[in-house]
Amino acid sequence: MDNDERVIGIKDVAKAANVALATVDRVIHNRAGVSVKTKVKVLKVIKQMGYKPNIMASNLSKSKKIVIGVLLPNISEGSGYWEFPMQGILKAKKELAQYNIKIKTYTFKQDNNKEIRKKILELINSDIQGLVLTSKFADEIEILLEDCKQKNRPYVFIDSNVRKIDALSSIHQPLFESGELAAQLFNYCFNKGEILVLHLKKTMDTEGIISLKEKGMNAYLKENNNAITTKSLVLTDFNEDAISGVLFKTLKENPFIKGVFIPNSKVAYIAKYFEKRGGDKIYLIGYDFFREDIEYLEKEIIDFLICQRPEEQGYQAVFKLFEHLVLKKEVEKEIIMPLDIITKKNYKYY
Amino acid sequence: MDNDERVIGIKDVAKAANVALATVDRVIHNRAGVSVKTKVKVLKVIKQMGYKPNIMASNLSKSKKIVIGVLLPNISEGSGYWEFPMQGILKAKKELAQYNIKIKTYTFKQDNNKEIRKKILELINSDIQGLVLTSKFADEIEILLEDCKQKNRPYVFIDSNVRKIDALSSIHQPLFESGELAAQLFNYCFNKGEILVLHLKKTMDTEGIISLKEKGMNAYLKENNNAITTKSLVLTDFNEDAISGVLFKTLKENPFIKGVFIPNSKVAYIAKYFEKRGGDKIYLIGYDFFREDIEYLEKEIIDFLICQRPEEQGYQAVFKLFEHLVLKKEVEKEIIMPLDIITKKNYKYY
DNA sequence: CTGAAAGCGCTTACAG
DNA sequence: CTGAAAGCGCTTACAG
């Protein structure tokens, strides 16, 4: 299993093929300037001897750095969700600094189209060799993707709902299934009643994502428990009073509501209302885990959060680009994150 | 933030300190043969210039390999649990092969003390520079640990219930809290009744682990719902008929049992019985996720599994030794794994 | 106690 | 199209 024999290197290949080191190097990297005859000969020897390049040596002698660009919303606003992928990206950055990898981040305000366009132009005119981004701005980024394609720059999506065929890799959570999971959890909490599905609209949350989750939920209920139904409600105003008003009215008119499903990362807004409200227990399930959720998890106002390891998504995205650019490895076209379930009793270890 | 200036190396330090390269190297690695005066001078310059060694170059020029030993039960028997840490270890092995890291595995049959002793002796007489093991064989491994201590060989525990002060790191799941979590989940399933805690005894499962989980469960119930009580039962015979007999009798005599808690990885044994049994739904919660559980998850006979990322534990253990031995990094003394919750609807992505 | 030099396995101009 | 040589930033004998 472990062979402790001397590892064969480019020098051995050169000798065996009766060519110079530089020629072997040219063949390995598929560079121009080698006769077909020589190339075939060298490739044959490489295969025969089982030559594997030494990445450490390769990197050491390589002069230029590899720069990976990151295009994501900035973290100081909105749901704060993007803080987590960014943490993973920074972790990868630290680890990969050894390999001459640089990370350049381009952040923007989510609803500032002018700024987004500016960052896209910067990226197009930059010297990056790979790109991490999210697919939630389909309209804005198409031109950037087109540019990447032309320049043969690989890009990786994180938190992307769609699988982009031209991407090196797309990292995402299974949306439909997460809706099923939420339904299953509600079904453990009560046997009959109604689930209120709250669509809290904001720039970033495309309706596609939310509706896919809702479809998953309905599919589960249809198959497993017809005594639980769902009812959708769209909220556009996030003002505390507005939320209170709407929820008070809705719950009063629909006394069978036993659970509330918030298919994005805004549960805390809703939990705030339920903290003050009396009456029968109403179960709350939402997405993503933030500091402000802890209080409500502890009080079991929020019962379950479905999470998608945003930090790991960021880390993986950079790492996959590294594997592709430096290690020349095959990279999975699609990486599906687990559906993590967070409750009062396990959030501390997440 | 990114400084693209030339990175300063050992050569720059040598020049600035007015000494030879070799001397700087000696100081960096704290090797003997440097006058105090020179050492102080060099250290000062290193600090001043912010010198960071280049690991790739360091590794490239280093001649000897680093060998990490792994002492774990073999995977072809029992619960098969150890297959997962081993997978993580193999993943780390592949990744770290670049760094001249070798992994030597020493596996044994769980209940074969003679073989365990033999492997321990092999390890003592081996040339390993680090060790991964599990703390579940406290009696057998004490002498090995003592030997490691004397030889200054770092070791990392995985799946360890105790925090060993001399270990480089201990990787484990929070046991008490996992019991609390199980109780919380049961509490979502029913409001009153009894939970049967099944102790399935086998060599590897120390009573300490199981009782800690049970204590966590009781603590949660005491605090949150007095209408749910627990009842313990010890099973020593895993024969299908024996299990059927005991369970039939117990459930008949205790009609208020609404849930069964199996605080180790043997849920499937019990699920088998419940598959055939009629009557009211009884909720099942167990630990760890195996292929044979899938069938029962799908049928919702097993409701929840609490998992501790065994694969990641194996990976991390090797990686932490790598960080310590090669990168000379600080390593956390204790790494606590998240309490993952697996159900019918998310196991596919785990 | 200190230093000069070779070498790790590649890549990169440069020369032919 | 091909090769000889210098160099990446360290470590390792060897000499003094």
Side-chain angles (χ1 to χ4, degrees):
Chain A
M1 190 175 173
D2 294 333
N3 84 62
D4 280 322
E5 307 313 311
R6 216 171 57 73
V7 177
I8 75 114
I10 203 174
K11 219 194 298 185
D12 308 279
V13 174
K15 201 180 289 171
N18 208 16
V19 295
L21 295 183
T23 301
V24 178
D25 189 68
R26 285 182 192 108
V27 173
I28 291 169
H29 298 290
N30 219 347
R31 275 191 272 269
V34 188
S35 74
V36 177
K37 199 180 150 193
T38 310
K39 192 168 175 180
V40 169
K41 184 172 63 177
V42 172
L43 282 174
K44 196 177 155 191
V45 173
I46 285 178
K47 200 164 191 180
Q48 224 167 51
M49 306 184 78
Y51 166 76
K52 293 262 178 283
N54 180 320
I55 293 147
M56 319 211 58
S58 166
N59 251 270
L60 185 59
S61 53
K62 233 176 250 169
S63 45
K64 61 172 193 275
K65 288 192 185 318
I66 284 178
V67 182
I68 292 174
V70 172
L71 178 67
L72 289 178
N74 58 30
I75 63 178
S76 55
E77 50 150 334
S79 72
Y81 174 81
W82 297 101
E83 178 187 346
F84 300 112
M86 206 48 102
Q87 272 171 17
I89 287 166
L90 288 179
K91 189 184 162 210
K93 177 181 177 166
K94 269 189 201 160
E95 252 175 51
L96 299 179
Q98 295 293 344
Y99 294 88
N100 266 340
I101 308 282
K102 286 262 156 192
I103 308 284
K104 266 193 202 169
T105 54
Y106 300 78
T107 61
F108 53 87
K109 275 186 126 167
Q110 297 188 189
D111 46 2
N112 189 333
N113 281 329
K114 196 174 162 194
E115 199 185 14
I116 295 176
R117 261 176 261 130
K118 192 178 148 218
K119 296 291 172 179
I120 287 176
L121 267 176
E122 278 179 29
L123 274 164
I124 290 175
N125 293 315
S126 74
D127 57 348
I128 58 159
Q129 276 130 87
L131 177 60
V132 175
L133 39 51
T134 178
S135 74
K136 288 189 175 168
F137 315 86
D139 309 342
E140 304 292 344
I141 55 167
E142 279 308 331
I143 188 163
L144 176 59
L145 300 186
E146 186 57 37
D147 178 67
C148 283
K149 202 174 167 183
Q150 275 174 28
K151 291 179 181 153
N152 220 356
R153 286 180 177 169
Y155 52 88
V156 175
F157 282 115
I158 61 174
D159 202 41
S160 75
N161 48 326
V162 286
R163 179 172 165 192
K164 296 272 183 179
I165 199 66
D166 285 328
L168 176 69
S169 192
S170 294
I171 306 178
H172 60 107
Q173 187 184 47
L175 299 172
F176 183 86
E177 291 80 354
S178 78
E180 291 186 290
L181 177 60
Q184 189 199 10
L185 293 172
F186 276 128
N187 193 30
Y188 278 120
C189 299
F190 49 88
N191 301 318
K192 61 171 183 237
E194 193 156 29
I195 296 169
L196 180 66
V197 182
L198 276 183
H199 297 228
L200 305 198
K201 283 207 173 173
K202 248 199 150 174
T203 323
M204 285 284 296
D205 305 303
T206 70
E207 198 49 34
I209 292 178
I210 290 182
S211 77
L212 215 49
K213 293 172 178 173
E214 190 171 8
K215 274 178 195 153
M217 168 162 283
N218 285 319
Y220 182 91
L221 295 175
K222 191 174 170 188
E223 194 187 340
N224 294 281
N225 189 344
N226 280 312
I228 301 181
T229 56
T230 62
K231 176 190 176 67
S232 291
L233 186 65
V234 178
L235 272 178
T236 44
D237 191 350
F238 287 22
N239 177 294
E240 200 177 328
D241 291 333
I243 290 179
S244 289
V246 173
L247 281 179
F248 179 80
K249 183 160 170 283
T250 308
L251 294 175
K252 193 166 180 185
E253 289 171 0
N254 301 275
F256 296 124
I257 289 176
K258 290 271 181 55
V260 176
F261 180 49
I262 297 102
N264 63 14
S265 54
K266 309 280 190 301
V267 215
Y269 289 74
I270 305 305
K272 204 173 203 167
Y273 170 78
F274 281 96
E275 190 180 9
K276 290 173 193 151
R277 178 185 173 275
D280 283 351
K281 164 79 178 169
I282 289 188
Y283 296 88
L284 247 65
I285 298 182
Y287 281 80
D288 303 325
F289 175 51
F290 299 99
R291 221 159 289 117
E292 55 264 40
D293 296 327
I294 291 178
E295 182 191 344
Y296 301 115
L297 280 170
E298 274 298 343
K299 295 177 185 161
E300 291 187 44
I301 292 169
I302 296 175
D303 295 286
F304 299 102
L305 290 172
I306 298 173
C307 302
Q308 53 179 334
R309 304 198 190 166
E311 190 181 325
E312 194 175 332
Q313 290 198 31
Y315 178 82
Q316 290 277 352
V318 175
F319 202 82
K320 291 300 157 189
L321 278 169
F322 163 71
E323 289 192 330
H324 176 78
L325 292 168
V326 178
L327 309 184
K328 315 287 180 196
K329 271 197 195 168
E330 272 293 300
V331 166
E332 311 90 304
K333 289 293 281 180
E334 192 176 21
I335 299 175
I336 301 181
M337 288 287 117
L339 296 168
D340 288 328
I341 303 170
I342 302 300
T343 81
K344 169 186 180 176
K345 280 300 171 191
N346 72 349
Y347 76 81
K348 280 173 198 147
Y349 310 99
Y350 191 61
Chain B
M1 188 172 175
D2 295 330
N3 85 60
D4 281 320
E5 307 313 309
R6 213 170 59 74
V7 177
I8 74 114
I10 205 175
K11 217 192 303 185
D12 308 280
V13 174
K15 201 180 289 173
N18 207 20
V19 294
L21 294 183
T23 301
V24 178
D25 189 66
R26 285 183 191 104
V27 172
I28 290 169
H29 298 288
N30 219 348
R31 276 191 271 270
V34 188
S35 74
V36 177
K37 198 180 151 193
T38 309
K39 191 168 173 175
V40 169
K41 185 172 62 178
V42 172
L43 282 174
K44 194 175 155 191
V45 173
I46 284 177
K47 198 164 192 179
Q48 225 167 49
M49 305 183 79
Y51 167 75
K52 294 261 178 285
N54 180 320
I55 293 149
M56 319 209 60
S58 167
N59 251 271
L60 185 60
S61 54
K62 232 177 253 169
S63 45
K64 60 171 195 276
K65 289 191 183 317
I66 284 179
V67 182
I68 292 175
V70 172
L71 178 67
L72 290 178
N74 58 31
I75 63 176
S76 55
E77 49 151 334
S79 72
Y81 174 80
W82 298 101
E83 176 187 347
F84 301 114
M86 205 50 99
Q87 271 171 18
I89 288 166
L90 288 179
K91 188 184 164 209
K93 178 182 176 165
K94 267 189 204 160
E95 251 176 52
L96 299 179
Q98 296 292 343
Y99 293 88
N100 265 339
I101 308 281
K102 285 261 157 193
I103 308 282
K104 267 193 202 167
T105 54
Y106 299 77
T107 61
F108 54 87
K109 274 186 124 167
Q110 296 190 187
D111 47 3
N112 189 334
N113 281 330
K114 197 174 159 192
E115 199 184 17
I116 294 177
R117 263 176 258 128
K118 193 179 144 215
K119 297 292 176 181
I120 287 176
L121 268 176
E122 278 179 29
L123 275 165
I124 290 176
N125 293 314
S126 74
D127 59 346
I128 59 158
Q129 274 130 88
L131 178 60
V132 175
L133 36 53
T134 176
S135 74
K136 288 190 173 165
F137 315 86
D139 310 342
E140 305 290 345
I141 54 165
E142 279 308 331
I143 189 163
L144 176 60
L145 299 187
E146 187 57 37
D147 179 68
C148 282
K149 202 173 168 184
Q150 275 174 29
K151 291 180 182 155
N152 220 358
R153 285 181 179 170
Y155 53 88
V156 175
F157 282 115
I158 60 173
D159 203 41
S160 75
N161 48 326
V162 288
R163 180 173 163 188
K164 298 272 181 176
I165 198 68
D166 285 328
L168 176 70
S169 192
S170 295
I171 306 179
H172 60 109
Q173 186 184 48
L175 298 172
F176 182 87
E177 290 81 353
S178 78
E180 292 187 289
L181 177 60
Q184 190 199 9
L185 293 172
F186 277 128
N187 192 30
Y188 278 119
C189 298
F190 48 89
N191 300 319
K192 63 172 182 236
E194 194 156 27
I195 295 169
L196 180 65
V197 182
L198 275 184
H199 297 228
L200 304 198
K201 282 204 176 177
K202 249 204 151 170
T203 322
M204 285 286 296
D205 303 307
T206 71
E207 197 48 35
I209 292 178
I210 289 181
S211 78
L212 213 49
K213 292 173 178 173
E214 190 172 5
K215 275 179 192 150
M217 169 162 284
N218 285 318
Y220 182 90
L221 294 176
K222 193 174 168 188
E223 197 187 338
N224 295 280
N225 189 346
N226 281 312
I228 300 181
T229 58
T230 63
K231 173 189 181 65
S232 290
L233 185 64
V234 178
L235 272 179
T236 45
D237 190 350
F238 286 23
N239 176 294
E240 201 177 328
D241 291 334
I243 290 180
S244 288
V246 173
L247 281 180
F248 180 80
K249 185 162 169 281
T250 308
L251 292 176
K252 192 167 180 183
E253 289 171 0
N254 301 275
F256 295 124
I257 289 175
K258 291 271 181 52
V260 177
F261 180 49
I262 296 103
N264 62 15
S265 54
K266 309 280 190 298
V267 217
Y269 288 73
I270 304 307
K272 205 173 202 168
Y273 170 79
F274 281 96
E275 190 178 11
K276 290 168 194 159
R277 175 185 176 276
D280 283 352
K281 164 82 178 166
I282 291 189
Y283 296 88
L284 249 64
I285 299 183
Y287 281 80
D288 303 324
F289 174 51
F290 298 99
R291 222 159 288 118
E292 54 265 43
D293 296 328
I294 291 179
E295 183 192 343
Y296 302 115
L297 280 170
E298 275 296 344
K299 294 176 184 162
E300 290 187 45
I301 292 168
I302 296 175
D303 296 288
F304 299 102
L305 291 172
I306 298 173
C307 302
Q308 54 180 332
R309 304 197 191 171
E311 188 181 327
E312 194 174 330
Q313 290 198 32
Y315 178 84
Q316 290 275 350
V318 175
F319 202 83
K320 291 301 159 187
L321 278 169
F322 163 72
E323 289 192 330
H324 176 76
L325 292 167
V326 178
L327 309 185
K328 314 286 181 199
K329 269 198 198 171
E330 274 291 306
V331 167
E332 310 90 305
K333 289 293 279 177
E334 194 177 20
I335 298 175
I336 301 181
M337 287 288 118
L339 297 168
D340 287 328
I341 302 169
I342 302 301
T343 80
K344 169 185 180 173
K345 280 302 171 192
N346 71 348
Y347 77 82
K348 279 173 198 146
Y349 311 99
Y350 190 59

